[in-house]
Amino acid sequence: MGPFLLRRLAGAIPVLFGVSLLVFLMLHLIPGDPVLLLLQQSGEQAEVSRERYDAVARKYGLDQPLPLQYLTYVGNLLRGDLGESTIRSRPVAELIAQEAPFTAELAVSALAFAIVVGVLLGVAAALNRGRWLDTVAVILATFGVAMPAFWFGLLAIFVFAVAFGLLPASGVGGPQYLVLPAVTLGIGSAAAITRLTRSSLLEALAEDYVRTARAKGLLEWRIVAGHALRNSLIPVVTLMGLQFGALLAGAVVTETVFARRGLGALTLQAVTSKDFPLAQGLVMFIATLYVMVNLVVDLAYSYLDPRIRYA
Amino acid sequence: MIAQTVRRPALALALLGLVASACTGETGAPARTGGPVAKDAPLPGAKAQPYEVLKVVLNNAGTGTLDVVNANHTKATVYAQMWSNFLVYVDPESLQPRPGLAKEFSVNATGNEYTFKLRDDVRFHDGTPFNAEAVKFNFERIAAAKVGASYDALGGKKYRSTAVVDPYTVRVTFTDPYWTFYDQAALRLWFDSPAAVAKHGKDYGTKVVVGTGPYRMVDWVPNDHVFLERNDDYKWGPSVHKIQGPGYARRIEIRGIVEGATRRATLESGQADVVMLEETDVPDIQKDARFKVDLQPKAGTVRQLQINQKKFPFNDIVVRRAVAYAIDREALVKAPRYSGIAQVALGIQGLKNMGGKWAEELKSVQYGFDPARARKLLDDAGYRLVGNVREKDGQKLQIDFIFPTGALSEVQPIQAMLADIGIQAKLTELQTAKWFDSFQKGEMSITIGSSSGVGIDMFVNAFLTNGTENWWGVADPALDAILVKVDGAADPKARFDASVEAQKRIIAQAYGLPLLDVFYPFGMKKSVFDVYYPPFSWPSFYQTWLAQ
């Protein structure tokens, strides 16, 4: 297990360096002078004095050669320094730390919803192949995959907040504030997990070892839960890792529709206000998170399938 | 001239006394009408009394800082109305300056020296006194920044100094006449506690603000919310408000929600008391017996077509006038974008800035919807129809119509109206900042926009030959001669008349074409009363109460 973990960790390092290079180049690839761009983001659109220009260039290290700037950037990253937001005048790391718990709460709830609903519905569909339950599950999954989150969110607000007054329409607070956003964010993932669980379990149920288990006289639920489902979950776990990225991306829309605080709302703000240090910091943070989640997924494989661990 | 925020909250209003006018007494400035604001009488037996919380939802919560020096977003000014104060306030009905933190104020004969006698009973929320030193401290910080909306409001390069005459008297001087300083002082120049600025350093404005207002800021999360709590020691409310002591709400919670449908849902679900609506939601909310809607005329310039006169075909006045006749502005009001929640604009400046009397005067220069006349103008000038598009001397009447994100539903009907007279408009939607850059460079033929702010002179720099915002190539000495009077005349009536005259000429020459006067729609529960709308349109909830 140790060498496997080390190998996977070593594999993540070049990925993160690649991401850091792309993120660093974001500011420089945009047409125009980066110093003027930063001045504009700070609201300084009037004529800028040479002194002010030089001061901003010095502050952001933009008076240095590009390779040196990158090395400084990486050095700062390793120290946890993601720069300072030009619009909010606060350290980017501080802003991310403030908002991350709200997104984590939302993403974890949405993922939990997606896993529970997706796996249960997928298993139910596979075990009832060709019957009405299977048909319903397939229709729901197709509906969930096809439906845009913003539309579903607005519909949910209308039904549960406006028409029946059961849940709040927006904001953050107790668990009641989390229900609609989590379902909205998680429904697409739930649909994807349902479809994959169904097909994967059907495939597993056709394997020889299942026939052997049945021949041995094992109870059907033990065959499904103890043998087929475990093996069928490997692609599902891969999908969960991928879905985590989708959930972070989807948080931008969901947090906007439900007016929730979080990294999605912060990302939208960074992009719309051209706050490059903040946008760079967020991309770097989310990319790192994504790499880490994939690492965890890889480790989960080795638990689910020992052949991977010893390969 | 076109922007989406309070950029350079423009100058003027016919406000000031002729020479060395004191703060009392009306001047000859024309009265204005406030537009179609819903007026509901309180329920029988209902009376204003303290209550727990007022929940407000706006279209965004603003971002950045609330420090007067660097705050560049509109919402900073909205909040400052509650957590801070201004030296003077402008009465939204008469457009006259009224006492605020200054109990008396005057300006000298040349319009470059203002004297403010301050109240001596005002304290910041941290207990420190508000006095002449505090005014000087704030003004000098703003001046030192050399950029930003507050710097512009303080006169920009015109600002010379602030002198402490005695502990409660200050004198502010400018290098040149600055006749509209009261308007800007009432809009942008609020006061931060000098002690708090020193104590909190970089956190001031982004985490903490300390003012003198009827509410203290207790939580500010940019882009999300602002929570305010009542200042029970408050007793220096300006006379423009119905009360001068502490507000009725113990707490005011203001949230920003970008998505219009969600904003509406917070009102309908009872989660909010006051909500800024989208125009398209207004008819439904108006029909709902639980709610009422205030339609507040937007302060600034009207939605208008800005035409690049440096390029073919708009270097020809005939084409500009043909466009003016081709556009059915009544139809634009009724189109889905505004759903009837707008008015046909008569001038470049909006209702809120100018008033009803002015609107009457401009009726004589309106074009009216007359596509047949537009076609005839083009025919007579040699623009022949070839297929669906006209051309002259081998040049087709094909124009680049750029517009910012979100305006597509507004420009599509205009595109169809232009096509009807043989002008082919190619629509290009640009992200707002890119759009702003693009028209500043004069790359387009035509665009649509408006700006926010107070004063009768917001359009001056866009049409003055050497104006800083004249990106359209307007060069008309006769117009220049009128425009300089809008800012420069000592007599407020002369400035007002010049503003009207200039707008008449702009329309007659079709340098810019006014389309719509738009409104900010605020939906609220029927139990909400006394929302206050200052000249810059965005509400203050200091005096707002809920009928129990």
Side-chain angles (χ1 to χ4, degrees):
Chain A
M1 188 70 174
F4 174 73
L5 180 63
L6 284 176
R7 265 203 317 276
R8 298 303 301 134
L9 275 174
I13 291 170
V15 175
L16 287 174
F17 266 108
V19 170
S20 73
L21 185 63
L22 288 175
V23 168
F24 168 76
L25 289 175
M26 263 170 69
L27 183 62
H28 297 273
L29 291 174
I30 290 166
D33 184 333
V35 178
L36 289 177
L37 207 60
L38 288 166
L39 281 163
Q40 280 175 6
Q41 290 155 28
S42 313
E44 300 185 35
Q45 294 182 15
E47 52 196 272
V48 175
S49 68
R50 187 73 226 174
E51 293 76 22
R52 179 79 186 122
Y53 181 96
D54 291 343
V56 171
R58 263 197 310 279
K59 179 179 174 184
Y60 291 96
L62 294 168
D63 55 343
Q64 302 293 322
L66 209 57
L68 194 58
Q69 285 183 42
Y70 177 65
L71 288 178
T72 309
Y73 177 72
V74 171
N76 290 339
L77 281 183
L78 292 173
R79 284 196 300 275
D81 179 0
L82 296 174
E84 187 177 276
S85 158
T86 52
I87 300 294
R88 308 259 296 251
S89 304
R90 307 293 314 167
V92 169
E94 179 189 308
L95 294 175
I96 290 174
Q98 271 174 8
E99 302 304 316
F102 296 101
T103 300
E105 179 186 66
L106 177 62
V108 168
S109 307
L111 195 59
F113 166 80
I115 291 169
V116 171
V117 171
V119 171
L120 285 180
L121 210 54
V123 170
L127 297 181
N128 293 278
R129 186 182 189 183
R131 296 189 200 142
W132 67 269
L133 189 58
D134 184 27
T135 310
V136 169
V138 170
I139 290 172
L140 284 178
T142 307
F143 185 63
V145 168
M147 194 163 35
F150 73 89
W151 183 78
F152 182 79
L154 292 174
L155 201 67
I157 288 173
F158 178 75
V159 174
F160 295 101
V162 177
F164 295 110
L166 296 173
L167 293 163
S170 66
V172 290
Q176 72 272 27
Y177 286 86
L178 201 53
V179 177
L180 293 182
V183 171
T184 301
L185 183 58
I187 195 160
S189 301
I193 292 172
T194 299
R195 286 155 58 117
L196 192 61
T197 305
R198 178 184 177 276
S199 60
S200 185
L201 186 57
L202 283 173
E203 204 174 303
L205 288 171
E207 293 286 340
D208 291 344
Y209 64 83
V210 171
R211 193 167 55 241
T212 307
R214 282 188 179 129
K216 280 168 61 185
L218 275 184
L219 293 173
E220 188 66 17
W221 71 268
R222 290 199 64 174
I223 296 168
V224 172
H227 298 277
L229 185 59
R230 183 168 170 173
N231 283 312
S232 68
L233 279 183
I234 293 173
V236 177
V237 169
T238 309
L239 181 67
M240 286 174 193
L242 294 172
Q243 287 301 316
F244 184 77
L247 290 179
L248 287 176
V252 175
V253 173
T254 309
E255 287 174 359
T256 303
V257 169
F258 289 94
R260 284 181 61 86
R261 293 180 61 179
L263 294 177
L266 193 63
T267 305
L268 187 68
Q269 182 199 340
V271 171
T272 52
S273 56
K274 293 205 288 182
D275 188 338
F276 278 99
L278 183 55
Q280 285 176 316
L282 281 160
V283 172
M284 195 63 224
F285 176 76
I286 290 170
T288 307
L289 207 58
Y290 197 59
V291 169
M292 291 299 135
V293 167
N294 277 293
L295 192 63
V296 171
V297 168
D298 283 354
L299 297 179
Y301 284 162
S302 66
Y303 168 75
L304 290 167
D305 186 349
R307 288 172 301 180
I308 295 170
R309 193 159 58 217
Y310 298 113
Chain B
M1 158 165 192
I2 293 178
Q4 300 297 314
T5 55
V6 180
R7 288 175 44 246
R8 178 183 167 270
L11 318 167
L13 287 187
L15 289 176
L16 312 178
L18 188 56
V19 279
S21 62
C23 63
T24 54
E26 301 288 321
T27 68
R32 53 165 291 281
T33 57
V37 175
K39 299 284 183 196
D40 266 358
L43 304 168
K47 61 175 184 177
Q49 55 188 345
Y51 62 100
E52 192 55 25
V53 60
L54 180 75
K55 295 184 176 180
V56 178
V57 174
L58 301 178
N59 58 340
N60 64 66
T63 189
T65 177
L66 299 178
D67 183 341
V68 69
V69 175
N70 299 313
N72 283 320
H73 54 105
T74 305
K75 298 304 186 296
T77 311
V78 178
Y79 307 147
Q81 296 181 100
M82 287 166 274
W83 67 265
S84 193
N85 286 114
F86 304 93
L87 285 175
V88 292
Y89 285 75
V90 172
D91 185 301
E93 294 301 321
S94 67
L95 300 181
Q96 303 299 307
R98 297 283 182 244
L101 292 174
K103 58 186 179 183
E104 290 173 29
F105 43 90
S106 59
V107 57
N108 69 352
T110 48
N112 70 332
E113 188 177 285
Y114 287 77
T115 304
F116 297 93
K117 285 188 181 298
L118 311 176
R119 294 179 66 120
D120 60 6
D121 57 350
V122 179
R123 292 201 163 262
F124 287 104
H125 300 148
D126 58 6
T128 56
F130 170 80
N131 52 26
E133 288 292 350
V135 175
K136 182 180 168 71
F137 172 83
N138 277 278
F139 282 4
E140 294 199 340
R141 283 177 73 224
I142 292 168
K146 292 196 181 340
V147 288
S150 298
Y151 175 71
D152 290 342
L154 193 57
K157 288 178 181 170
K158 268 197 277 195
Y159 174 80
R160 179 178 283 161
S161 65
T162 300
V164 174
V165 177
D166 67 43
Y168 291 100
T169 307
V170 285
R171 186 163 296 135
V172 185
T173 54
F174 302 94
T175 55
D176 296 301
Y178 187 15
W179 292 108
T180 53
F181 181 48
Y182 289 140
D183 305 327
Q184 302 309 315
L187 173 71
R188 281 292 322 180
L189 303 177
W190 61 87
F191 293 93
D192 296 312
S193 158
V197 170
K199 181 180 171 186
H200 296 286
K202 218 171 172 189
D203 286 344
Y204 191 85
T206 56
K207 286 187 169 178
V208 182
V209 283
V210 178
T212 57
Y215 285 84
R216 302 166 201 272
M217 181 74 69
V218 291
D219 193 15
W220 152 238
V221 175
N223 220 34
D224 194 74
H225 69 255
V226 160
F227 293 164
L228 303 149
E229 277 184 7
R230 186 169 57 213
N231 173 11
D232 288 321
D233 299 327
Y234 191 71
K235 57 184 178 186
W236 45 86
S239 60
V240 294
H241 288 130
K242 288 186 174 178
I243 55 173
Q244 279 69 49
Y248 295 115
R250 188 188 67 76
R251 186 176 167 91
I252 299 175
E253 296 183 356
I254 304 176
R255 294 180 190 278
I257 298 182
V258 176
E259 174 55 43
T262 311
R263 283 203 303 280
R264 171 181 167 163
T266 60
L267 181 66
E268 292 181 309
S269 65
Q271 218 185 327
D273 302 304
V274 181
V275 170
M276 187 178 192
L277 298 169
E278 297 289 325
E279 286 90 343
T280 45
D281 290 326
V282 171
D284 287 346
I285 298 295
Q286 280 176 325
K287 282 180 209 151
D288 193 321
R290 296 172 296 167
F291 309 117
K292 58 186 175 182
V293 178
D294 277 358
L295 295 175
Q296 188 54 212
K298 176 180 166 286
T301 58
V302 300
R303 294 299 284 173
Q304 59 190 283
L305 287 179
Q306 280 289 6
I307 299 167
N308 189 352
Q309 281 131 83
K310 291 183 278 191
K311 288 176 74 171
F312 175 86
F314 292 126
N315 51 355
D316 185 347
I317 187 172
V318 171
V319 181
R320 301 200 298 269
R321 283 183 171 155
V323 168
Y325 282 117
I327 293 177
D328 184 354
R329 294 180 293 171
E330 293 285 356
L332 294 181
V333 170
K334 291 173 192 152
R337 168 65 183 85
Y338 289 105
S339 308
I341 311 302
Q343 288 182 357
V344 168
L346 299 176
I348 304 294
Q349 294 271 145
L351 266 179
K352 187 87 180 173
N353 299 52
M354 299 293 287
K357 185 183 169 188
W358 151 84
E360 286 299 316
E361 291 182 38
L362 279 169
K363 279 188 177 165
S364 62
V365 289
Q366 300 304 308
Y367 286 92
F369 175 50
D370 191 348
R373 190 165 176 184
R375 286 187 209 101
K376 185 168 187 318
L377 276 175
L378 294 172
D379 285 341
D380 292 349
Y383 294 94
R384 303 282 166 219
L385 203 55
V386 180
N388 293 325
V389 184
R390 290 176 185 272
E391 62 178 59
K392 182 180 179 181
D393 303 331
Q395 281 189 290
K396 289 190 172 181
L397 284 189
Q398 288 172 322
I399 59 172
D400 298 319
F401 194 152
I402 65 162
F403 57 96
T405 308
L408 181 64
S409 59
E410 222 176 346
V411 300
Q412 277 176 330
I414 298 172
Q415 182 190 36
M417 291 167 195
L418 295 178
D420 191 41
I421 61 165
I423 298 177
Q424 190 178 52
K426 181 189 163 215
L427 303 185
T428 307
E429 185 170 9
L430 297 175
Q431 190 264 338
T432 304
K434 206 169 174 188
W435 163 76
F436 197 72
D437 286 344
S438 178
F439 72 69
Q440 279 186 323
K441 289 175 189 159
E443 291 171 349
M444 82 316 168
S445 307
I446 195 165
T447 188
I448 189 169
S450 56
S451 58
S452 305
V454 296
I456 57 170
D457 67 340
M458 290 197 65
F459 64 104
V460 169
N461 270 313
F463 294 98
L464 205 57
T465 300
N466 295 316
T468 51
E469 295 165 0
N470 181 356
W471 301 296
W472 332 102
V474 179
D476 180 350
L479 178 61
D480 290 348
I482 308 168
L483 287 172
V484 292
K485 291 181 195 161
V486 182
D487 272 343
D491 176 6
K493 187 166 186 319
R495 291 202 299 277
F496 187 87
D497 290 345
S499 179
V500 173
E501 206 52 40
Q503 291 179 66
K504 280 184 177 175
R505 183 162 180 88
I506 289 165
I507 295 167
Q509 297 296 314
Y511 294 139
L513 297 174
L515 299 174
L516 303 174
D517 223 323
V518 300
F519 300 96
Y520 292 137
F522 293 97
M524 60 196 78
K525 292 176 179 169
K526 279 244 165 97
S527 55
V528 176
F529 292 97
D530 289 339
V531 174
Y532 173 78
Y533 299 97
F536 89 109
S537 304
W538 287 89
S540 160
F541 303 100
Y542 159 44
Q543 62 178 31
T544 302
W545 57 282
L546 296 178
Q548 302 297 315

